[in-house]
Amino acid sequence: MTTITESISADVPTREDILERIREIQPILAKNSAQGEADRRVPEESIAALTEAGAFRIAQPRRYGGYETSMRTMLEVSAAVAEADGGASWVVTLSNVCAWMTGLFSEKAQDDVWAENPDAKVSGVLAPTSEAVKVDGGFRVSGRWYYNSGSWHADWAVLGIPITDSDGEVIDQALALLPRLELGFEETWFVAGMRSSGSNCLIAEDVFVPEHRIMLVPGAIKGEYATEHSEEALYRSAFVPLLSLVLAGPQLGMGRKALEIATEKADKKAIAYTFYTAQSDSVAFQLQIAEAAMYIESAHLHAYRAADDIDSAAAAGVYPDELVRARVRADTAWVIEHVTKAIDTLVSAHGAGSFAEVNPMQRIWRDSNVAARHAVTMPAVSYEVYGKTLLGRDDQITPLI
């Protein structure tokens, strides 16, 4: 007898299938990238193409028609999209990781999001920049959450809230799932890069959130999730490591694209005020290209090692210890640091023309540098976290490990 699960699984594409679909739509994404910047939102044609390609399904449970893939697939899909458009990649990345977080909630909460609309997209912010009042059956929530990437296209939001007791005292922290229709919206994303990511502000004014749509953050950091489906390996993945590493995906793709642009032009572009009629003839240029390539290749090695650590632990049903989790944060920081170094080198080698508005190199440079400043991936913070763990110190600077 063929079960429903077997029938759905048979329709799940492989990683290569999904990547091939992304490669087929890259011309559409690249064509729309400048318009997305101007509009400060990814054009609907790109969103439709990404939806059709299944880019928003990769972290959704198969029970709702998702692909329920892996950390490695999430990285590679984000990178493939970023080769064409960094802003679209950021939207895909954040929508997918918020879909993954939704998969950690109870089945009842997941049903609220996907039972009637399997295409529902979720945005989110972890910071509990809100107030929550305990009432019968849940909380009444008010607050403002900035930097909701993908907010233009989201149907739901997973948002940080404080947990309070009957006296109003904050006793814990949680994530709450709220329908986008119950939230206000304010355009606040006016920035130098990642302009099309739509990372705007969502606003709640005394919105009721039932208990089944609330999940405690300290428990999640330790791998204690609300989902009843413990057989689903993807939703056993380590919480902070996945939230951190997923942000490296767009960087990998932007680094690869910048290297491609610089190398493809090298035979046709002179080095001004020298006798070189082609950059590729210059030993100095060759050294810069090699250095940038090594930075990017090093970034991939660290990203894939960290992804494999997350995936193998999830498959085995083992929650990684603090040392591994801290190292994944450091791996992520290494990716961010080395891709931005590579792009800086490539922009300098490519020349002042990098900053022409018609040259995608300038958008890659801006997008990469803005994305690199995400609070969860800051190298200085992540290296300190890893260093303290290596030394066995008890004075950590964040619970997000």
Side-chain angles (χ1 to χ4, degrees):
M1 182 176 71
T2 301
T3 65
I4 292 174
T5 300
E6 287 169 343
S7 176
I8 290 173
S9 297
D11 296 331
V12 173
T14 66
R15 181 191 303 159
E16 275 310 312
D17 290 337
I18 302 168
L19 292 174
E20 181 57 31
R21 292 180 193 171
I22 300 298
R23 285 190 281 270
E24 289 174 358
I25 65 169
Q26 281 179 340
I28 297 173
L29 305 179
K31 171 179 69 77
N32 291 334
S33 56
Q35 191 61 49
E37 271 217 313
D39 296 344
R40 288 181 296 105
R41 60 185 295 171
V42 177
E44 289 304 318
E45 183 185 32
S46 292
I47 294 294
L50 288 162
T51 301
E52 180 69 21
F56 294 108
R57 293 274 189 181
I58 61 173
Q60 182 187 32
R62 295 183 186 182
R63 290 175 282 108
Y64 302 101
Y67 301 159
E68 195 180 312
T69 60
S70 64
M71 179 73 252
R72 176 68 179 260
T73 303
M74 293 171 74
L75 274 184
E76 294 201 30
V77 167
S78 293
V81 175
E83 289 175 353
D85 183 356
S89 176
W90 198 255
V91 170
V92 167
T93 301
L94 273 293
S95 297
N96 281 330
V97 75
C98 289
W100 176 77
M101 281 195 285
T102 303
L104 306 181
F105 280 74
S106 69
E107 183 176 72
K108 187 176 181 182
Q110 295 179 45
D111 281 347
D112 289 350
V113 176
W114 287 313
E116 293 185 5
N117 180 15
D119 288 323
K121 298 178 181 65
V122 186
S123 69
V125 175
L126 262 66
T129 51
S130 56
E131 296 178 353
V133 178
K134 184 79 177 79
V135 296
D136 285 346
F139 285 85
R140 300 203 73 88
V141 175
S142 298
R144 299 172 69 89
W145 296 267
Y146 291 89
Y147 313 140
N148 279 268
S149 301
S151 61
W152 291 111
H153 314 287
D155 303 285
W156 285 75
V158 57
L159 302 169
I161 65 168
I163 295 296
T164 55
D165 60 18
S166 56
D167 295 326
E169 294 295 322
V170 175
I171 56 173
D172 216 331
Q173 182 179 338
L175 293 173
L177 271 168
L178 285 79
R180 173 68 182 80
L181 288 176
E182 295 182 11
L183 297 168
F185 178 90
E186 183 178 340
E187 284 194 64
T188 54
W189 189 242
F190 300 91
V191 290
M194 284 295 176
R195 289 178 180 174
S196 65
S197 66
S199 306
N200 292 298
C201 179
L202 295 181
I203 305 160
E205 295 182 359
D206 197 30
V207 176
F208 175 69
V209 184
E211 287 179 350
H212 72 273
R213 283 202 258 116
I214 293 172
M215 183 175 69
L216 295 178
V217 169
I221 291 173
K222 294 185 291 185
E224 297 167 0
Y225 305 141
T227 177
E228 300 88 343
H229 294 276
S230 57
E231 77 282 3
E232 295 173 341
L234 179 62
Y235 309 101
R236 297 196 297 253
S237 302
F239 189 72
V240 175
L242 189 144
L243 295 184
S244 172
L245 184 61
V246 76
L247 302 176
Q251 296 286 356
L252 297 176
M254 286 189 285
R256 297 199 302 246
K257 187 63 181 180
L259 180 63
E260 178 187 316
I261 292 170
T263 53
E264 281 188 351
K265 299 283 187 185
D267 286 338
K268 306 167 190 168
K269 203 167 184 296
I271 299 180
Y273 304 112
T274 74
F275 296 118
Y276 285 116
T277 56
Q279 291 175 326
S280 58
D281 292 333
S282 161
V283 172
F285 184 85
Q286 294 162 8
L287 293 173
Q288 287 176 301
I289 288 292
E291 182 181 63
M294 290 301 293
Y295 281 144
I296 294 167
E297 288 160 15
S298 176
H300 280 76
L301 291 173
H302 281 267
Y304 291 163
R305 175 181 75 168
D308 290 345
D309 282 346
I310 292 171
D311 287 339
S312 60
V318 175
Y319 204 74
D321 61 25
E322 184 172 326
L323 183 62
V324 172
R325 303 200 311 270
R327 202 205 68 222
V328 171
R329 277 201 63 157
D331 278 329
T332 305
W334 192 266
V335 173
I336 304 300
E337 186 174 28
H338 283 72
V339 170
T340 51
K341 280 183 178 177
I343 292 174
D344 279 348
T345 299
L346 291 166
V347 164
S348 296
H350 192 55
S354 300
F355 298 99
E357 290 187 354
V358 296
N359 192 333
M361 192 75 100
Q362 49 82 24
R363 185 165 51 253
I364 290 171
W365 180 71
R366 288 184 290 106
D367 285 349
S368 174
N369 272 277
V370 169
R373 270 65 183 183
H374 192 288
V376 175
T377 63
M378 293 290 284
V381 171
S382 297
Y383 295 155
E384 185 173 355
V385 167
Y386 187 38
K388 285 183 183 294
T389 307
L390 285 169
L391 294 167
R393 295 181 62 97
D394 59 2
D395 56 346
Q396 272 295 359
I397 58 174
T398 174
L400 293 178
I401 302 174

